[in-house]
Amino acid sequence: MLVTHIKRLREVAKDDITFTEEYTDGLLLPHNDALAISLNVLDYKIKRVLVDPGSLANIIQWSKLDNPMRDPPPTNAEGVMKTTIFEVVDGDVGYSIILGRPWLHEMKVVPSTYHQLLKFPTPDGIEQIRGDQPATREMNAILVFSSKGMEHAA
């Protein structure tokens, strides 16, 4: 059986969100890393922000809020400011924030774990945020170390 693949070429408009193989240049290999970024929340640069399209909620650690009773915090992604509703947890979930589908949909974000990249439309065109692989790998090492410690304690 002979299968022939024909590539259809189409013009890509400047406001289309696309990912090409060149976006993988510079990634740490091998990689199966989660997509973690840094993001401005309130007036702070927050590191270890997990982008999780499988999450039904946006989650923030209680310790990351300067005043948990104030209005919902705004997130600032490359100049796009959004008031964001978070579920607040009082405990360590590993990441400072987990951004789920509510934030992703509000921002119209297209995430790619393979490319370690978020892309989203802004009034000035398509912006992107690169994932922080070293931070993700550090978190993985901490989680593995913690789980091994718990095995020995049992």
Side-chain angles (χ1 to χ4, degrees), residues 6-132:
I6 301 172
K7 283 189 173 180
R8 287 188 343 189
L9 297 178
R10 70 174 186 87
E11 190 173 314
V12 177
K14 72 174 186 146
D15 60 346
D16 281 354
I17 293 179
T18 59
F19 296 90
T20 62
E21 202 62 26
E22 69 188 25
Y23 289 111
T24 61
D25 291 348
L27 291 181
L28 302 173
L29 298 175
H31 103 78
N32 278 334
D33 300 311
L35 181 52
I37 62 171
S38 294
L39 187 69
N40 291 326
V41 178
L42 300 168
D43 297 323
Y44 304 101
K45 180 88 164 184
I46 306 289
K47 295 184 178 196
R48 296 184 359 220
V49 176
L50 177 66
V51 176
D52 183 6
S55 180
L56 295 172
N58 302 311
I59 301 168
I60 191 168
Q61 287 187 35
W62 177 273
S63 62
K64 298 301 175 194
L65 297 172
D66 61 344
N67 180 355
M69 299 307 164
R70 72 188 258 181
D71 293 333
T75 57
N76 183 346
E78 299 301 314
V80 178
M81 198 81 111
K82 294 286 183 187
T83 298
T84 306
I85 303 296
F86 286 99
E87 299 291 327
V88 179
V89 295
D90 187 12
D92 188 8
V93 293
Y95 291 92
S96 302
I97 292 175
I98 299 173
L99 293 174
R101 287 194 303 265
W103 185 83
L104 295 170
H105 291 181
E106 176 72 20
M107 290 285 296
K108 300 179 181 168
V109 167
V110 179
S112 172
T113 57
Y114 177 76
H115 298 94
Q116 286 292 293
L117 195 62
L118 294 180
K119 286 189 161 195
F120 52 96
T122 74
D124 298 323
I126 302 301
E127 288 289 341
Q128 63 186 36
I129 300 174
R130 172 76 53 196
D132 185 349

